[in-house]
Amino acid sequence: MTKTIKLRVKKEIDRNSEFKVLKLKGSLITRGFTEIIHIEDENENFYLNSFSTSPENKKKADDFILDYISVNNLSEIITLISTINNNF
């Protein structure tokens, strides 16, 4: 059973914040939490970024994301909104 983690990401951001968001996504992939991140429009202000990870990596991924948001002052730009169980 994989876990899907969703992030809400603000659309209108400055270049520096955009770089930090891209770096977070790249880090999630390079650290082995996922192979792909799906991006879709939530509404006119936000994107939804989602990815699947193994149950073993779920807590590590959540902790990494929350720490990254805090350290990089992205709490106004990125929100960890949900974790969904998938039966695959």
Side-chain angles (χ1 to χ4, degrees), residues 1 14 16-17 19-20 24 38 40 43 59 62 65 68 72 80 85:
M1 181 184 315
D14 62 68
N16 185 45
S17 296
F19 175 75
K20 290 177 182 179
L24 169 61
H38 304 279
E40 61 184 278
N43 57 39
K59 174 129 176 57
D62 285 348
I65 292 165
Y68 188 92
N72 289 282
L80 180 62
N85 292 330

Side-chain angles (χ1 to χ4, degrees), residues 28-39:
L28 290 168
I29 293 168
T30 59
R31 290 174 182 262
F33 293 124
T34 189
E35 292 180 8
I36 188 168
I37 298 174
H38 304 279
I39 303 168

Side-chain angles (χ1 to χ4, degrees), residues 70-85:
S70 177
V71 167
N72 289 282
N73 299 315
L74 296 173
S75 60
E76 298 293 319
I77 296 169
I78 302 173
T79 306
L80 180 62
I81 60 168
S82 69
T83 303
I84 302 166
N85 292 330

